Amino acid sequence: MSPPTGFNADSQMIASVTHNDGIPMVASPSPTAECSTSTVDQRVLPASFYDSYLSDTAKRYLPSPIRKVIPLSRIPGMLSLFAGLPAPETFPFQQLTVTVSHPDTANRDKSTTLTLEGEVLAEGLQYCDTAGIPKFVDWLCELQERYHGRKRDTEGWALSIGCGSQDVLSKAFTSLLNEGDSVLVEAPVYAGVIPIFDLHKCHAAEVSTDADGILADDLEHILQNWPKDKRKPKLLYTVPYGCNPTGASATLERRLKVLQLAREYNFLILEGLSFTTCQRSGGFKKVESSLIDDPYFYLYYGDAPRPPSYFQLEKEIAGPIGHVVRFDSFSKILSSGMRLGFVSGPTPVVTAINLITSSSTLQPSSFSQVVAYSLLSHWGYEGLQNHVDHIAGVYRRKRDLFAEAMRKHLEGLAEWSTPEAGMFVWFKLLLPPVPGSDEGDSEDVIVRRALKEKVLALPGTSFFTNGRTSAYVRASFSVLPEEQFDEAMRRLAAIIKEVRKEAERETGSDAGASV
């Protein structure tokens, strides 16, 4: 079913839902998240707008008769007999201590010990709400207001925590996509979503990118010339900061045009996975710049101020509010093993994600949430900003050293743009073209030859939905010790030279001059 062609700005939000057992269903992820329809911004799209976006699968999910009642058990004086929660006195954990660094660079060598005990520990050892521990959800909602200028009570959005952002991202795709639906994706695209599109048997239309992110003009051309035999695209998947794999960050000009096209052609923007820092003026509470998957939002270290997110722009730019679904992750800034990420977006979409969670993983880890919340509430929002400033500095230094090694060994053998966010460099090997392509093929170089020389990277073909031939390579500079950057590039350069010499011998020409 195609998305609707417009909306009625005068429509009201759908009232709270009651399941057929008579128990009110708590759709909000937090007791404080309910918003009064009388105060909702009139630009907010009505809940009915999303009826044509939600998948048949999402519409078949029913609320869990147990999980929907969990928030009611917190009502003072309630004698709860409803759920099979384990008796807390049987848990063997009495107290846990966590030693954490000070958030700022100057005091990084100092530490603080946090003690988890009593009610705090008990909350981390027991089941929680499907969308997450309410006070943690509230803390994150205020984080979104500080970074993106979005107010939950009046703008028709909700927030839900997942087992990493990949978890809520996958559930979002399940909530939105039917077999045969069309999606717009950046090319190259994060490899982790390609199997999801294949699973849902979607038609993926690739939108070109360059060093400045998504090419909005190419997106417009695709939409203007959309094939009549294909369903109109429901969504655009984009990673606007430090994109995986390219490392590119989309410019403000392109973001504005993408948002304009989303409103004109009625597709959702899934804004993706990250945590980046921004240059501050008078404190980070003042928003200076930004389905979106944005794990590298907080790993921005460019010289220019960070552009605003799509989540922020749709509030600031005149027009309807509700086309953006944003995904954030703590994997890159706290711990990837904690598996904590969160989605912020239109309440009907987040509610659909929660319904899937209630019948699958049930909830994000209570223990991981309590540890993260204890740390973040101890640091405060300013402390978190100091922490991501420090992280951005670390990645900027690594980026600079890696780029220096590339210039030393790969000049004339590869082409690349220097990233301003994230942990990847996307570079093109200058190899002789292969049959059927106007560029070389990095797969043999990386998968066979480089691996033999104990250099591990990913070939560009891994990041295209059709697996096409590519001369590009994605290299990460996050984990390899900095003193080994030079050796890795030296080995890779030797391999490229060997491949070019082989091609020269086979063709009897100077292969280096033909690329």
Side-chain angles (χ1 to χ4, degrees):
M1 184 179 297
S2 298
T5 57
F7 77 103
N8 180 358
D10 296 325
S11 298
Q12 298 297 310
M13 300 293 289
I14 285 181
S16 58
V17 178
T18 300
H19 196 235
N20 58 13
D21 55 12
I23 300 176
M25 176 180 141
V26 182
S28 168
S30 160
T32 63
E34 294 294 343
C35 54
S36 168
T37 57
S38 62
T39 60
V40 170
D41 190 316
Q42 290 302 300
R43 295 190 296 145
V44 172
L45 294 165
S48 58
F49 174 84
Y50 302 94
D51 289 347
S52 295
Y53 290 88
L54 295 178
S55 67
D56 295 338
T57 298
K59 293 173 181 177
R60 285 196 296 268
Y61 269 96
L62 295 175
S64 165
I66 295 176
R67 298 205 61 79
K68 70 179 182 181
V69 183
I70 289 179
L72 301 178
S73 67
R74 289 192 293 269
I75 296 176
M78 182 69 70
L79 303 180
S80 177
L81 304 174
F82 83 98
L85 277 67
E89 64 268 24
T90 65
F91 298 149
F93 305 97
Q94 296 183 7
Q95 183 186 80
L96 293 173
T97 58
V98 181
T99 303
V100 299
S101 302
H102 281 217
D104 57 303
T105 301
N107 296 296
R108 202 69 181 181
D109 57 334
K110 300 176 183 178
S111 62
T112 301
T113 298
L114 304 179
T115 301
L116 279 64
E117 58 186 346
E119 292 184 4
V120 173
L121 180 59
E123 196 167 28
L125 297 177
Q126 192 58 273
Y127 292 119
C128 75
D129 292 11
T130 299
I133 294 174
K135 63 185 178 184
F136 192 26
V137 171
D138 290 344
W139 199 93
L140 295 175
C141 285
E142 185 172 345
L143 182 75
Q144 299 300 65
E145 180 175 346
R146 289 167 177 258
Y147 276 91
H148 306 283
R150 296 298 302 269
K151 295 182 180 294
R152 175 178 51 175
D153 351 353
T154 60
E155 295 171 17
W157 63 275
L159 185 147
S160 184
I161 303 169
C163 304
S165 56
Q166 180 79 15
D167 173 46
V168 283
L169 180 63
S170 176
K171 290 169 181 173
F173 285 130
T174 299
S175 298
L176 296 169
L177 297 176
N178 291 314
E179 182 177 332
D181 278 346
S182 299
V183 297
L184 300 158
V185 298
E186 294 175 320
V189 67
Y190 167 50
V193 301
I194 295 176
I196 300 176
F197 296 146
D198 289 341
L199 177 66
H200 291 289
K201 298 181 180 180
C202 293
H203 165 60
E206 295 185 332
V207 183
S208 299
T209 61
D210 62 14
D212 292 323
I214 188 170
L215 290 170
D217 288 343
D218 185 50
L219 173 60
E220 183 176 36
H221 176 77
I222 290 171
L223 292 168
Q224 289 174 344
N225 297 276
W226 192 262
K228 294 182 179 179
D229 62 335
K230 299 291 184 183
R231 298 175 191 172
K232 297 287 186 178
K234 276 185 171 180
L235 59 90
L236 164 69
Y237 173 73
T238 178
V239 182
Y241 300 96
C243 179
N244 179 359
T246 65
S249 296
T251 63
L252 175 58
E253 179 183 9
R254 294 186 182 182
R255 292 171 194 242
L256 290 172
K257 185 164 185 177
V258 168
L259 178 60
Q260 171 199 331
L261 292 170
R263 289 168 166 174
E264 180 180 350
Y265 288 90
N266 275 302
F267 59 82
L268 302 181
I269 301 175
L270 271 66
E271 179 175 35
L273 303 162
S274 82
F275 243 89
T276 69
T277 63
C278 62
Q279 298 186 5
R280 295 180 287 177
S281 173
F284 78 100
K285 288 186 181 182
K286 178 180 182 294
V287 181
E288 293 191 27
S289 55
S290 94
L291 218 158
I292 294 193
D293 178 29
D294 218 355
Y296 308 103
F297 173 78
Y298 297 96
L299 298 187
Y300 180 83
Y301 39 74
D303 293 327
R306 180 182 59 197
S309 66
Y310 288 103
F311 195 49
Q312 177 182 336
L313 286 174
E314 76 162 349
K315 165 69 180 301
E316 294 184 348
I317 305 301
I321 298 174
H323 282 94
V324 178
V325 185
R326 178 176 176 80
F327 300 85
D328 285 285
S329 174
F330 284 113
S331 293
K332 310 301 186 293
I333 60 166
L334 293 185
S335 163
S336 54
M338 292 179 76
R339 304 312 303 137
L340 285 178
F342 51 102
V343 56
S344 309
T347 299
V349 176
V350 175
T351 298
I353 293 172
N354 287 342
L355 286 176
I356 296 175
T357 297
S358 70
S359 297
S360 55
T361 54
L362 299 184
Q363 60 166 81
S365 164
S366 298
F367 185 75
S368 291
Q369 291 181 80
V370 163
V371 172
Y373 177 74
S374 297
L375 171 63
L376 294 172
S377 59
H378 167 70
W379 276 351
Y381 296 103
E382 187 70 25
L384 173 62
Q385 179 64 49
N386 290 335
H387 173 64
V388 295
D389 282 346
H390 170 77
I391 293 174
V394 170
Y395 280 101
R396 183 182 178 111
R397 185 191 71 244
K398 287 178 177 287
R399 186 275 313 266
D400 291 345
L401 292 173
F402 196 79
E404 181 181 343
M406 292 185 72
R407 286 191 296 269
K408 177 179 177 181
H409 295 287
L410 296 184
E411 286 283 4
L413 301 176
E415 296 175 344
W416 65 90
S417 296
T418 303
E420 294 189 332
M423 56 181 63
F424 304 111
V425 176
W426 178 250
F427 56 101
K428 181 180 181 180
L429 304 184
L430 299 180
L431 302 171
V434 296
S437 175
D438 58 357
E439 61 183 45
D441 185 1
S442 66
E443 186 166 21
D444 176 66
V445 173
I446 296 302
V447 173
R448 186 173 66 85
R449 297 175 186 252
L451 190 59
K452 184 179 178 181
E453 297 300 322
K454 294 188 177 180
V455 176
L456 193 60
L458 281 175
T461 184
S462 303
F463 302 95
F464 293 96
T465 57
N466 60 2
R468 67 175 181 265
T469 298
S470 172
Y472 283 86
V473 176
R474 191 199 76 174
S476 169
F477 50 80
S478 59
V479 177
L480 185 70
E482 295 167 6
E483 62 271 17
Q484 295 181 8
F485 288 173
D486 188 82
E487 177 61 17
M489 294 300 100
R490 186 197 67 78
R491 293 184 191 181
L492 188 56
I495 295 166
I496 298 171
K497 291 175 182 177
E498 179 185 351
V499 171
R500 290 171 62 157
K501 286 181 180 178
E502 289 177 2
E504 183 179 343
R505 287 194 295 267
E506 291 176 3
T507 61
S509 62
D510 185 355
S514 64
V515 296

